[in-house]
Amino acid sequence: MKAVKVPKPFEIRIEDVPEPEVRAETDVKIRITSGGICGSDVGIWNGTNSLAVYPRIIGHEFGGIVTETGKNVKSVKPGDQVTVDPVMSCGHCYACRIGRHNVCSTLEVLGVHRDGGFCEYVCVPEKNVHKFHTKMDEKMLSVAEPFTIGTEINRRGQIGKGDQVLIMGAGPIGIAAMQCAKRNGAEVLMTDLVPSRLDRAKRMGADRTVLIHPQGQQGKDQGQELDAELAAFTGGEGIPVVVDTVCIPSSFEQSVQLASPAGRVVVIGLKNQPSRITMADITKKELTIVGSRLNCGCFDEVIEGLEDGTLHAEEFVTHVFPYYEVEKAFQMIREHPQEVLKAVITF
Ligand SMILES: [Zn+2]
Ligand SMILES: [Zn+2]
């Protein structure tokens, strides 16, 4: 079968590899129809993803149609449209025991630590397979995973009805988190450096948007402008929930500064550079600062949202390429990051 492989940084190839077989009684074999390209796939390709092991069949956002099942598989059958949770955990470490398997001490992610889903067939354990109940467009079967990231952010930030949320960054994760927050009944203000990304965020459901000007440009003070907008948004109370999808040291600092007393800050960055945040910043306001990584059992909630129309897959996927043009897709993401929200490859 054909697979998209990254043998080493800056090389991407279509290779013929052996087709996987159903071996365990709980294995599910899936013919992949679609795979979403994520920033972390680009990171594996350009060597900036410190977790990646080479050579690797990439892809952790994927879905398709069940073709075969092991004899103990109960939840799906051949012909079902499904998507796959890429999180693999041990089941017995502390995190796993308390139900937080997405931060398992020996966590492995398909497409990062193990071969992923950018290939014609995969065999994965039944517990990682989630079924769509209404018929989906085949190229949309990979779209659930980024929304699970958004769902996890909402759970970690305890975002619920009536909450006012600031989401910094209108890329795919920011948009997914926004739609999940809207689904939960929250009100969302989004910021970005790019006007067209904010226009799209508005079309996709953001209540308010604020354009951030890069430091020193046009003589504008971005802090003041955002402060004024946030004051208008919250009636001067300060913003109770901040989600930082910009993921640079200064955006983390800004999140902590902007959060209201008793507020929550959700962090998703994986960078190692320190931010300057003092103990007093956290203690005085009694902030809750939480990390959010991957997803912890969020797939079924996302499928429900995609099926009831509260999460919008069609607008989310902006570019579609056949798998043999994967290099072109990566190039498009690299050269036109403002236009691409989510690019998928089809098999
Ligand atoms: Zn991803
Ligand atoms: Zn574990």
Side-chain angles (χ1 to χ4, degrees):
M1 67 166 184
K2 302 290 182 196
V4 176
K5 217 174 211 181
V6 178
K8 56 176 200 261
F10 293 105
E11 224 181 284
I12 191 160
R13 282 210 296 252
I14 308 297
E15 276 188 22
D16 280 303
V17 301
E19 201 173 298
E21 285 166 32
V22 169
R23 289 213 173 85
E25 296 178 339
T26 52
D27 273 354
V28 177
K29 184 168 173 176
I30 300 163
R31 177 176 69 78
I32 300 301
T33 59
S34 139
I37 301 174
C38 179
S40 65
D41 295 313
V42 179
I44 296 173
W45 172 77
N46 68 19
T48 57
N49 186 325
S50 58
L51 305 169
V53 188
Y54 301 90
R56 178 65 58 237
I57 296 174
I58 55 170
H60 59 271
E61 303 174 7
F62 56 98
I65 294 160
V66 175
T67 57
E68 199 186 331
T69 57
K71 70 170 194 268
N72 276 347
V73 171
K74 305 236 160 35
S75 59
V76 292
K77 58 179 189 316
D80 284 347
Q81 288 189 321
V82 295
T83 185
V84 177
D85 185 344
V87 176
M88 296 284 182
S89 53
C90 77
H92 48 75
C93 71
Y94 170 71
C96 283
R97 286 200 312 275
I98 65 160
R100 304 266 298 272
H101 76 125
N102 55 319
V103 285
C104 172
S105 60
T106 53
L107 173 75
E108 290 193 307
V109 180
L110 299 178
V112 182
H113 311 85
R114 290 194 206 177
D115 280 341
F118 286 3
C119 52
E120 290 180 287
Y121 291 92
V122 297
C123 262
V124 290
E126 180 183 17
K127 65 175 167 47
N128 290 70
V129 179
H130 297 269
K131 181 177 152 177
F132 291 96
H133 310 281
T134 52
K135 187 140 174 59
M136 294 273 290
D137 183 335
E138 287 192 357
K139 61 180 182 296
M140 295 298 168
L141 296 179
S142 60
V143 89
E145 199 273 349
F147 282 105
T148 66
I149 306 294
T151 303
E152 181 72 11
I153 287 169
N154 273 259
R155 289 188 187 174
R156 297 287 294 148
Q158 298 179 304
I159 296 170
K161 201 167 168 50
D163 271 330
Q164 292 189 303
V165 183
L166 165 64
I167 298 179
M168 301 203 291
I173 294 180
I175 294 283
M178 177 271 289
Q179 290 203 338
C180 295
K182 292 297 296 173
R183 185 169 196 264
N184 289 338
E187 253 187 295
V188 182
L189 185 151
M190 294 188 83
T191 60
D192 202 279
L193 292 164
V194 182
S196 61
R197 285 170 37 130
L198 289 177
D199 291 343
R200 181 166 59 200
K202 254 210 153 127
R203 279 199 311 276
M204 294 182 76
D207 296 287
R208 287 182 189 225
T209 58
V210 177
L211 181 66
I212 302 294
H213 301 279
Q215 220 107 45
Q217 200 181 303
Q218 297 170 353
K220 293 196 181 177
D221 184 329
Q222 61 175 54
Q224 272 176 19
E225 204 172 317
L226 180 58
D227 284 349
E229 287 286 342
L230 282 174
F233 184 47
T234 63
E237 282 216 301
I239 190 85
V241 188
V242 185
V243 177
D244 174 16
T245 76
V246 176
C247 307
I248 55 175
S250 61
S251 63
F252 181 29
E253 289 159 12
Q254 197 186 16
S255 305
V256 168
Q257 273 142 26
L258 291 174
S260 70
R264 287 98 74 193
V265 175
V266 186
V267 181
I268 62 163
L270 282 165
K271 286 204 173 67
N272 282 323
Q273 295 117 291
S275 297
R276 282 188 301 185
I277 292 166
T278 67
M279 289 171 264
D281 292 332
I282 301 168
T283 309
K284 273 186 181 166
K285 296 194 278 190
E286 210 175 50
L287 294 182
T288 304
I289 300 176
V290 293
S292 183
R293 187 173 185 194
L294 300 161
N295 89 94
C296 187
C298 298
F299 269 82
D300 290 327
E301 186 178 328
V302 167
I303 288 173
E304 203 181 286
L306 291 168
E307 291 180 343
D308 70 19
T310 47
L311 304 177
H312 306 285
E314 322 72 43
E315 290 166 88
F316 196 75
V317 174
T318 51
H319 294 75
V320 181
F321 297 86
Y323 76 91
Y324 47 85
E325 288 182 3
V326 64
E327 216 170 342
K328 207 164 128 190
F330 272 67
Q331 229 167 42
M332 178 80 196
I333 294 170
R334 223 175 48 240
E335 287 164 15
H336 307 278
Q338 306 174 354
E339 281 169 46
V340 184
L341 185 58
K342 178 61 68 183
V344 306
I345 56 169
T346 55
F347 286 87

